Amino acid sequence: MSRPRRLLTLLLTLVLAQAQARTYTVVPGDSLSRIAQQTGTTVAALQRNNALRGDLIRVGERLQLPEAGPATYTVLPGDTLSGIAQRVRRTVVALRRDNGLQGDLIYPGQVLTLGQDVPPLKQARSAHDPVTSPWKRTIHTVQAGDTLYDLARTYRTSIQALMVVNRLNTTQLSVGQALRLPAAPDATVQQPSRGLFRPAQLPRAQSRFHRAASEAYLQVGYEAQTWNNCGPAAVASVLRYFGKEVTQQTYQRKLRPSGGYTSAEDIARLLTDLGYEAPVRRRGSLAQIRREVAAGRPVLVLQYHSEVGKVPHWRVVRGFKPGMVVMSDSLSGANVALTDLDFTVLWRGLGHVYIPVGAL
């Protein structure tokens, strides 16, 4: 073979090898997230490169892989620019230059470019890492392959808690999506001391609303909920206080349009449409709850049912006495109570969300 022909053959071989290196043939059991993990890219990049509108791929299909770009890293709480530079064996000056930084200030969730020849820096998830322990994080940035089930196990919480805190109506996640993390149910997080109990004596209401110097009690309704239906059941209890004969099924479709969890916004929207005043309030206090009930307004609250980090639950505050809060709870009973301290503990991890309901 002549020298020019050998050179041409070698060139064609290199071109073919390069082309093959940029493709991937789908095999049984593959998914876009799995392929993205194996090839060091993202689901979004695979979809973009192959003009895919969803996650559907076929066995035997050849996917074009994106060109290898510079490695990136998502900043976690506790990270420093110097610490990241040391881990990837680059200088702080180089990281500043590549990311257009004027100083060393970085923030959680920020995506840093590490450089073209730097291997990807694995996002630490070890609970033993003193800097990146999961419970020093308040945000998780979804990566390829993440599922709510895996994240619930990693952060020692529940799928329900993740969905409620992030107002999700589906378990589907998107790469790059920022998820808020609920409070951690471990030894470092306070749990209720007494828990739910039935008061030995309730305030005696002669009418639908009773109020005295240090107590109040509202004649709200009660209905034992069906599966995952605490929101509609709680709303039905409130509406019965205003004389409206409804059940949890009456507005279930409006409160759970996709079959998921009931959001505070969906409750407020429905009650407003029905002619009631129902503002969604966050970062509330027990004093505010007592003031609302003392004014004759039942209050919907979103708390963990009995253990921080487990099952989020809608219940109705219907009264109070010194040291306790009395509630209508679709899981536990028409008149159950929590001490003031336990009420705050179960409320804290979900943002102190409450909805006082009043007639316009």
Side-chain angles (χ1 to χ4, degrees):
M1 184 182 294
S2 65
R3 181 179 176 82
R5 183 169 293 181
R6 283 200 302 271
L7 289 174
L8 179 59
T9 301
L10 179 59
L11 179 62
L12 287 173
T13 301
L14 290 173
V15 169
L16 286 173
Q18 187 179 20
Q20 290 174 350
R22 292 200 302 268
T23 63
Y24 178 92
T25 302
V26 178
V27 298
D30 270 344
S31 65
L32 276 185
S33 60
R34 182 177 177 183
I35 295 169
Q37 281 186 308
Q38 291 176 346
T39 58
T41 184
T42 66
V43 172
L46 286 173
Q47 290 172 327
R48 184 172 57 250
N49 261 42
N50 294 276
L52 300 175
R53 293 186 177 180
D55 296 339
L56 181 64
I57 52 177
R58 298 184 299 275
V59 174
E61 184 177 358
R62 180 169 290 182
L63 299 178
Q64 296 293 323
L65 301 179
E67 294 282 351
T72 61
Y73 175 77
T74 302
V75 177
L76 303 178
D79 276 340
T80 64
L81 199 62
S82 60
I84 295 170
Q86 186 176 17
R87 290 166 66 188
V88 299
R89 299 181 182 178
R90 297 202 70 199
T91 66
V92 171
V93 173
L95 286 180
R96 284 184 196 148
R97 182 188 62 242
D98 290 349
N99 292 277
L101 302 176
Q102 300 298 317
D104 294 347
L105 181 64
I106 55 176
Y107 54 88
Q110 183 178 4
V111 178
L112 297 178
T113 297
L114 302 180
Q116 190 71 37
D117 300 322
V118 177
L121 181 60
K122 187 175 181 180
Q123 298 286 157
R125 291 189 184 181
S126 171
H128 304 291
D129 187 323
V131 174
T132 57
S133 169
W135 285 115
K136 290 191 178 181
R137 299 174 61 179
T138 56
I139 299 292
H140 174 89
T141 302
V142 176
Q143 302 173 23
D146 278 348
T147 66
L148 281 181
Y149 173 78
D150 292 333
L151 295 179
R153 294 187 65 186
T154 298
Y155 295 108
R156 301 187 293 282
T157 183
S158 67
I159 293 173
Q160 297 99 316
L162 286 169
M163 293 186 73
V164 168
V165 168
N166 293 280
R167 307 179 199 177
L168 302 177
N169 289 319
T170 174
T171 57
Q172 296 296 315
L173 301 177
S174 304
V175 173
Q177 182 178 358
L179 294 179
R180 293 175 57 211
L181 302 177
D186 61 21
T188 65
V189 173
Q190 186 178 12
Q191 294 286 357
S193 55
R194 181 175 180 180
L196 289 164
F197 64 94
R198 298 187 185 280
Q201 187 175 11
L202 290 170
R204 292 296 177 186
Q206 302 302 319
S207 60
R208 83 183 179 110
F209 173 41
H210 161 77
R211 179 183 175 184
S214 60
E215 63 181 34
Y217 188 74
L218 310 180
Q219 296 284 16
V220 303
Y222 169 75
E223 184 169 358
Q225 70 173 78
T226 56
W227 169 251
N228 199 29
N229 219 39
C230 60
V235 168
S237 297
V238 167
L239 289 175
R240 290 180 189 178
Y241 171 74
F242 292 102
K244 200 171 180 66
E245 290 301 320
V246 295
T247 68
Q248 60 190 297
Q249 283 77 33
T250 306
Y251 298 112
Q252 181 173 328
R253 288 190 177 181
K254 289 188 176 181
L255 292 171
R256 298 175 58 199
S258 61
Y261 298 93
T262 303
S263 72
E265 286 71 24
D266 284 338
I267 290 176
R269 188 179 304 112
L270 171 67
L271 292 174
T272 301
D273 290 345
L274 292 174
Y276 300 95
E277 185 179 13
V280 177
R281 293 176 178 162
R282 304 181 191 280
R283 297 183 293 278
S285 69
L286 190 52
Q288 290 171 316
I289 296 286
R290 289 176 182 271
R291 280 197 295 269
E292 296 290 352
V293 175
R297 290 186 285 268
V299 182
L300 289 147
V301 293
L302 179 63
Q303 298 178 304
Y304 290 113
H305 178 264
S306 52
E307 184 179 350
V308 175
K310 295 296 184 181
V311 180
H313 185 63
W314 286 103
R315 45 177 54 122
V316 184
V317 177
R318 66 182 306 172
F320 62 84
K321 293 182 69 175
M324 76 170 69
V325 181
V326 183
M327 298 162 296
S328 175
D329 185 315
S330 58
L331 271 180
S332 303
N335 288 289
V336 294
L338 287 167
T339 64
D340 288 354
L341 176 59
D342 283 355
F343 184 91
T344 303
V345 167
L346 292 172
W347 197 24
R348 182 188 301 132
L350 294 171
H352 289 193
V353 175
Y354 71 104
I355 305 173
V357 183
L360 287 175

